[in-house]
Amino acid sequence: MGGDVDYVDEARRLGSQQFCAGYPCFFLVSSAQLVKPTRAGTAIVSERLAAAEPTGRFAHITAADDPARRPLVLAVKKTIELFPSMITVGRTQNNDLVIDDVQISKLHAFFQVTGERVSLHDAGSRNGTFVGNTQLKSDGPGTALVSGQQIRFGRLQLKLLSNRACWEWVADHFSQWD
């Protein structure tokens, strides 16, 4: 079960036990959308930015604005061989979690997962990595996370969820994306 999996479809198709057995990892979820800009600039979309005046640098479309749009659900899992002890996050294709946006550094941050424990580390990102309202330091030890915590990469806000909590989150939001 790899490649470009649509985890929303998988959660809707599978029961909770099947989803958890098939995807034994943490997830990042958000109602925000990543929409390619019509011109050079940033591609992220967050609900907070959607309320702001359009500047031409941000695409302002969220699931709340357009019910046909689906939530962003990313599996926090190793997908490439580079940096075997880290699950990397960045805008380039050599990362495990690719967030194609100029607000995200090429190598923005990384997760380390050991069993049920997960920690997040900033990798010297330009626009910051945050847990709640606390910005992580690139030279710091990282921050231990638990399911339900808010994370922000640059301006993109996400929530870290266990696989079961992810399935429940999608189930709670089915009607918004039918």
Side-chain angles (χ1 to χ4, degrees):
M1 298 184 186
D4 295 321
V5 176
D6 183 331
Y7 295 106
V8 172
D9 281 347
E10 286 295 281
R12 293 182 70 179
R13 184 177 70 79
L14 301 172
S16 174
Q17 286 185 312
Q18 289 177 302
F19 183 82
C20 291
Y23 302 103
C25 58
F26 287 91
F27 288 86
L28 295 175
V29 300
S30 177
S31 294
Q33 298 291 304
L34 296 176
V35 178
K36 292 284 187 193
T38 55
R39 59 184 176 162
T42 186
I44 68 166
V45 178
S46 74
E47 291 169 323
R48 217 167 47 135
L49 289 174
E53 281 296 310
T55 63
R57 289 200 64 222
F58 299 97
H60 294 285
I61 301 170
T62 68
D65 297 328
D66 182 354
R69 295 199 179 272
R70 304 196 68 179
L72 178 64
V73 179
L74 302 169
V76 178
K77 65 179 188 174
K78 195 75 189 145
T79 61
I80 61 168
E81 292 180 23
L82 192 61
F83 306 117
S85 65
M86 301 185 253
I87 298 170
T88 59
V89 179
R91 74 169 185 266
T92 58
Q93 295 299 313
N94 63 336
N95 287 287
D96 298 298
L97 288 150
V98 177
I99 301 174
D100 189 14
D101 182 76
V102 297
Q103 291 287 316
I104 307 299
S105 298
K106 290 178 184 178
L107 174 58
H108 194 94
F110 61 93
F111 291 93
Q112 290 186 309
V113 179
T114 307
E116 295 294 315
R117 293 181 176 194
V118 61
S119 62
L120 179 62
H121 307 258
D122 184 78
S125 65
R126 183 174 178 185
N127 292 311
T129 301
F130 299 80
V131 175
N133 292 323
T134 303
Q135 184 171 4
L136 302 183
K137 296 182 180 189
S138 60
D139 59 352
T143 299
L145 303 173
V146 295
S147 182
Q149 279 190 289
Q150 295 290 328
I151 295 171
R152 183 162 49 98
F153 301 119
R155 295 182 186 223
L156 181 60
Q157 293 194 15
L158 302 146
K159 184 182 283 192
L160 179 77
L161 296 177
S162 67
N163 53 1
R164 185 165 313 284
C166 178
W167 185 90
E168 291 168 357
W169 186 85
V170 171
D172 287 345
H173 294 83
F174 276 2
S175 63
Q176 293 180 19
W177 295 290
D178 281 337

